[in-house]
Amino acid sequence: MPELPELVVFLAIFLIVALASRQIGDFFNRYSLPLISGFLVAGLVSGPFVLDLVPIESLPSLQFINETALAFIAFAAGGELQLKFVRGRLGNLFTILMMQMLAVLVLGALSFILLAEYIPFMREMSQSTQVITAALLGSVIMVARSPSSTLAIIKEVRAKGHFTSTVLGVTVIKDAVVIIVFATVVSISAAILEGGTFSAGFLLVVLLEILLDLGLGIMVGLFLRMALSLRPAWLKAALILLVGFGVFGLSSFLHDVHLPFLPLGIFSEPLLICMTAGFVVANYTRHGTEFRLLLENVSPPVFIAFFTLVGISLELDLLIQTWFIAVILVGVRLAGLFVGSIAGGLVVRDPMKLNLLAGFAYITQAGVSVGLAKEIGVEFPPWGEQLATLSIGVIVINQLIGPPFFKWAITRAGEAHPPAERAEFDGVRDAIIFGLENQSLALARQLIAHEWQVKIVCQDMTKPDRFRSADVDIICTEEPLGRELFERLQVDKADALVALLSDQENLEICRLNYEHFGVDDMIVLLNESENLESFNDMGALIVDPRTALVSLLDHLVRSPVAASLILGMEEDHDIIDLEVRDPALNGVAIRDLRLPHDVVIMSLHRDGLPLVSLGYTRLKLGDRVSVVGPVQSLAEATLLFDD
């Protein structure tokens, strides 16, 4: 155990490296590469095998970071296992899962054994039991999947259908099953390597150990339920991390407990305990949604710390020696996924087209896989650390190639609904309003006063006589909402769509625009709160009549000047959003803009995310800039930003 001053120095160094790791991860993400790959590279470069910024003697001192993050990953894996995803199809999903696991485990274990002569740490093993143990553990890691990556891609392309629901269902239960299998294999392996004999009694002991872990997991889940009742949010997050670290301490204590009828200590798998706890909280308490949201909010710093530390711990010399083994294992795993998916699909009678695509949908690996690899390094030093390094090499490759393959498979299955490309600005600001009411007429006149061109679409042929207007273009049609109507309305040239119909009609308007026309600004009047998430998924701006008035009054009370500007209550002043369309402004700092002296930049958004709009912030084509000032000066600013 290092002295306190030495520990503080190690932590300070690691904190600096982790901050740099975050920036490197963002750089990787900018080029569509996984964030965790950037974190791993940052750790590898700063570790003892390259720059040696984090010395090798500091790693034992930082082990508590590793254990806390592993527990967090297991909590998240249990939280992802939501019964609503698998209820009603559990038999079919479990059949496909078991076929995949069997194929990957068998092919993976055989590959490790056949390649043992080419893997340095396995070549040096003197006992066949060690070789078989390493092969089994390595193949178990190959089974694991990444629920977070699956959900991210499904949301990105708005995938929906039988293929998508099957992949999602198999994925969310796979990590839970893998952790149970992993706990079983590790327990058996540890006992055999310590001299235990394989018998029916021995298997009974292993079963009792797993049941003990499940029972402890339920108790931890009940404790987390109480912790989630506390306030504030940071206290809940701190307790979750502290409980996770405590679970590892408890497991270590149980390892040293020798009961009279057991020749060995009690083997307890902390990942299984934490996963069970996460499952209990997510499915059997009222805090399930809050728990998952809290984990999602805390995950960025935890993942940065964990994957950076994993990168620091990687044995680069072994990785260089065995890169070709990692590539072979990636191919073997892919073959196992295809064999298992096709076999499982045939048993449950899924269409052959989907069975042939399914192998591409399960490639990606991430947090749980790395967590299992690191756990092997902890349980079976020193060769376990080398197996972890080789396994992480396989995981990184799968993380790089998996998402594009999955996206391609969903598209080939015909279940992807990605957003349409946005059309070029035609120099005129157009708005199309669906629904003819007094408020739509008032909105149209306001927009026209700000030099917009506006169309109101009405499908109720009895309304135009009651809402006749000479100053607003009202289009009456009985044609149903569809792509042909949108093309006739020239929606692709619009800059904003406003939907004031029923929720079902508004959802169809948003879907058509999202998939075929790509208008960025979709404003929707919400009727039923249960449709909120569906509109959010398509990036719509939602106005809820039940809360809009209260929110407006709240802003008028707390920020009367800003609210008055937005509402147009300030005489001769306004606030508008402008898009950077002039190529000459690309890369220009805000302080170098020649804006009218009475125009102020309020905010800057890039790719849908807010940026700090300081003087040295450089603009980029497509940026959305909110500016405030006199109406005449805003007209000058508009000319500056337009092409």
Side-chain angles (χ1 to χ4, degrees), residues 85-200:
F85 285 139
V86 299
R87 189 177 285 117
R89 297 191 61 212
L90 187 59
N92 287 355
L93 297 177
F94 199 74
T95 299
I96 296 172
L97 170 61
M98 295 310 296
M99 289 294 185
Q100 282 186 9
M101 286 190 64
L102 183 63
V104 174
L105 284 172
V106 171
L107 292 178
L110 287 175
S111 299
F112 270 102
I113 292 171
L114 294 174
L115 295 169
E117 286 298 316
Y118 303 96
I119 303 175
F121 66 89
M122 294 186 72
R123 188 168 56 236
E124 296 170 1
M125 290 177 171
S126 57
Q127 301 177 8
S128 59
T129 52
Q130 288 182 319
V131 174
I132 295 172
T133 297
L136 285 174
L137 291 170
S139 62
V140 170
I141 296 172
M142 293 169 69
V143 174
R145 179 72 170 93
S146 173
S148 58
S149 298
T150 302
L151 287 167
I153 292 169
I154 288 174
K155 288 182 179 179
E156 178 185 338
V157 299
R158 295 186 63 249
K160 188 176 182 181
H162 178 80
F163 179 76
T164 302
S165 60
T166 299
V167 171
L168 182 59
V170 170
T171 298
V172 296
I173 62 176
K174 178 178 280 190
D175 280 349
V177 175
V178 166
I179 289 176
I180 295 173
V181 172
F182 175 80
T184 306
V185 172
V186 170
S187 184
I188 294 173
S189 301
I192 291 176
L193 292 177
E194 290 178 24
T197 56
F198 195 83
S199 63

Side-chain angles (χ1 to χ4, degrees), residues 92 95-97 99-100 338-350 355:
N92 287 355
T95 299
I96 296 172
L97 170 61
M99 289 294 185
Q100 282 186 9
F338 271 100
V339 171
S341 298
I342 292 172
L346 289 174
V347 172
V348 301
R349 298 181 180 179
D350 277 349
N355 296 338

Side-chain angles (χ1 to χ4, degrees), residues 316-599:
L316 185 59
D317 53 347
L318 177 69
L319 207 56
I320 293 173
Q321 292 178 44
T322 59
W323 66 268
F324 65 97
I325 300 293
V327 173
I328 292 173
L329 291 175
V330 168
V332 170
R333 180 175 181 270
L334 188 58
L337 290 173
F338 271 100
V339 171
S341 298
I342 292 172
L346 289 174
V347 172
V348 301
R349 298 181 180 179
D350 277 349
M352 181 54 70
K353 175 188 175 182
L354 301 184
N355 296 338
L356 294 173
L357 290 171
F360 292 109
Y362 300 98
I363 299 174
T364 310
Q365 293 185 287
V368 172
S369 311
V370 178
L372 297 181
K374 289 300 294 179
E375 184 69 4
I376 289 174
V378 172
E379 295 292 341
F380 302 99
W383 61 264
E385 296 169 358
Q386 297 176 335
L387 175 59
T389 295
L390 174 59
S391 298
I392 290 170
V394 175
I395 292 166
V396 169
I397 297 173
N398 287 326
Q399 179 71 0
L400 289 172
I401 67 174
F405 272 125
F406 182 30
K407 194 180 295 186
W408 175 84
I410 289 178
T411 304
R412 290 287 297 173
E415 298 183 2
H417 304 280
E421 290 292 329
R422 181 185 175 194
E424 291 292 329
F425 180 57
D426 60 359
V428 179
R429 287 178 171 80
D430 301 277
I432 300 177
I433 303 173
F434 291 87
L436 180 57
E437 304 289 348
N438 285 323
Q439 58 188 356
S440 55
L441 278 173
L443 173 60
R445 291 184 179 119
Q446 286 266 49
L447 292 172
I448 290 170
H450 288 81
E451 299 182 353
W452 283 64
Q453 291 189 0
V454 183
K455 300 174 186 174
I456 296 180
V457 181
C458 176
Q459 293 179 294
D460 186 346
M461 302 304 290
T462 65
K463 282 188 176 182
D465 291 336
R466 292 185 285 127
F467 293 94
R468 288 196 179 277
S469 175
D471 56 342
V472 180
D473 183 10
I474 300 176
I475 299 175
C476 303
T477 178
E478 292 182 321
E479 188 176 348
L481 293 171
R483 191 168 178 177
E484 291 182 2
L485 174 61
F486 274 45
E487 288 174 350
R488 191 163 65 82
L489 294 171
Q490 296 183 310
V491 170
D492 58 318
K493 295 183 179 180
D495 298 282
L497 299 181
V498 183
L500 305 176
L501 304 174
S502 69
D503 278 356
Q504 292 306 312
E505 291 171 309
N506 291 345
L507 281 169
E508 181 63 10
I509 290 168
C510 289
R511 185 193 67 79
L512 287 166
N513 172 61
Y514 186 91
E515 295 179 11
H516 303 293
F517 297 93
V519 178
D520 283 341
D521 295 331
M522 296 185 292
I523 299 91
V524 173
L525 188 66
L526 183 69
N527 296 294
E528 301 293 338
S529 57
E530 58 263 26
N531 296 314
L532 181 66
E533 187 175 347
S534 299
F535 285 119
N536 275 329
D537 287 344
M538 291 181 282
L541 302 172
I542 302 165
V543 179
D544 189 341
R546 289 160 295 189
T547 60
L549 181 58
V550 175
S551 298
L552 176 59
L553 292 171
D554 173 56
H555 281 87
L556 281 168
V557 171
R558 294 188 295 109
S559 183
V561 175
S564 298
L565 282 170
I566 294 171
L567 292 173
M569 296 165 63
E570 291 291 324
E571 187 177 354
D572 198 36
H573 276 67
D574 203 353
I575 181 169
I576 60 174
D577 282 358
L578 300 174
E579 182 176 337
V580 179
R581 293 192 172 102
D582 188 352
L585 295 181
N586 193 42
V588 173
I590 288 178
R591 63 187 175 190
D592 295 330
L593 290 174
R594 295 188 176 183
L595 285 170
H597 70 280
D598 49 2
V599 170

